Amino acid sequence: STAQAAAEMPPIPEVTGDVVEGDGNDYTIKFSIGTTQSGAQYRGLEYFEDIVEARSDGHIQVELFHSAQLGDDLQAVSALQSGTLEMTAPSTSPLVNMFPQFAVFDLPFLFPTPEVADEVLDGEIGDSMLGIASSNGLVAIGWAENGYRQLTNSQAAVDSPDDLDGLKVRTMQNPIHLDIWRTLGANPTPMSFAELFTALEQGVVDGQENPWITIQSSRFNEVQGYASETNHVYTPFITLVSERFWNKLPESYQQMLVEAAQQMGDYEREVSRSLNDQIKQELIDEGMQITELTPEQVTTFQESLAPVYDNWRDQVGGELIDSIRATS
Ligand code: PAF
């Protein structure tokens, strides 16, 4: 069914934009991601490859690596810093120790719709976050989406925080996510995504949370009977380039990569959103029991999570939170 999902993705657009004059040198970009080859993110990378190779007239070759083949999100970021990898696009969450303001993307239920997320990421706030992330050996050139996270587990249907009592939930390596699941009464464990399938299969953890497309493309439904449509956190992907590599490029190529990252981000979000409902239905057809929450049930989760805002408001910045709320 992943092959079927891939067949129904919006087609990769034609490359637009002129060929860009470089400096006569040839370059190779190894671009590595944590999600699998059948997800929306990889599809976005294929478009990026088309754009960059066409607009550099073949002077920049792009090589794609999926499924954390070259390391998980944090390892890939370190590889950018040391210059052994040119590009990656992690979720923002594992980067929060490096960039404390990124915690804003981990606050529960802050982005009510994808349109609000777009307005924030493609506007002033997103630009200033790209500026913040352009340090520590990294250059941040654009946004895409991982998307709204949904809870899955192997034990029972979940429609209220009471159902989470003691449930062992894998989280990303991020303190706000830990706080969320502890506050809800679960027993969270931070773990690299690369270890997750085995941990679920062996019962080291009972559950995890990720967008539908990641749940399906990672085959978590084979080891998780239950899911709840919680939409509790919207996670962006941030497109990063190694600063060491960046500084070797002529300005004309740097500008072209920024444009390509923007086009990739727009297309990847379109793919991610168009697949969401389709994939949810496929998961149901494949036997997963999916619980959709009523607005009242969502409110119960939101109210239970109020202390998380108290705990992180100072680190994230109250003004930033308020300005995002004002967007919706
Ligand atoms: O769950 C995670 O660790 C992330 O959502 C993933 C799938 C690696 C994408 O960055």
Side-chain angles (χ1 to χ4, degrees), residues 153-208:
N153 85 93
S154 58
Q155 301 296 308
V158 170
D159 65 18
S160 95
D162 295 339
D163 301 325
L164 292 169
D165 193 22
L167 195 77
K168 286 182 279 176
V169 179
R170 174 270 177 177
T171 68
M172 289 185 284
Q173 290 136 306
N174 174 286
I176 299 94
H177 283 246
L178 278 173
D179 194 17
I180 288 173
W181 295 100
R182 276 200 196 110
T183 302
L184 291 171
N187 180 6
T189 312
M191 186 186 288
S192 157
F193 187 72
E195 297 163 35
L196 180 52
F197 186 89
T198 308
L200 293 169
E201 190 175 36
Q202 297 181 348
V204 176
V205 288
D206 303 315
Q208 67 82 46

Side-chain angles (χ1 to χ4, degrees), residues 263-274:
Q263 289 178 313
M264 168 178 75
D266 290 346
Y267 171 62
E268 190 267 355
R269 288 183 270 201
E270 185 192 331
V271 175
S272 161
R273 287 166 201 177
S274 77

Side-chain angles (χ1 to χ4, degrees), residues 35 73 90-91 146 149 170 172 193 209-210 214 237:
T35 55
D73 280 352
S91 294
N146 193 351
R149 305 184 82 87
R170 174 270 177 177
M172 289 185 284
F193 187 72
E209 39 85 65
N210 254 301
T214 303
F237 285 133

Side-chain angles (χ1 to χ4, degrees), residues 74-86 136-138 241-245 248:
L74 276 174
Q75 290 164 335
V77 169
S78 304
L80 257 54
Q81 292 172 310
S82 60
T84 55
L85 179 69
E86 286 74 35
N136 293 284
L138 307 171
V241 187
S242 162
E243 191 185 17
R244 287 197 191 190
F245 173 71
K248 291 181 196 152

Side-chain angles (χ1 to χ4, degrees), residues 17 34 115 144 153 157 166 230 244 256 306 319:
E115 289 70 32
N153 85 93
T230 45
R244 287 197 191 190
M256 187 263 286
E319 263 178 45

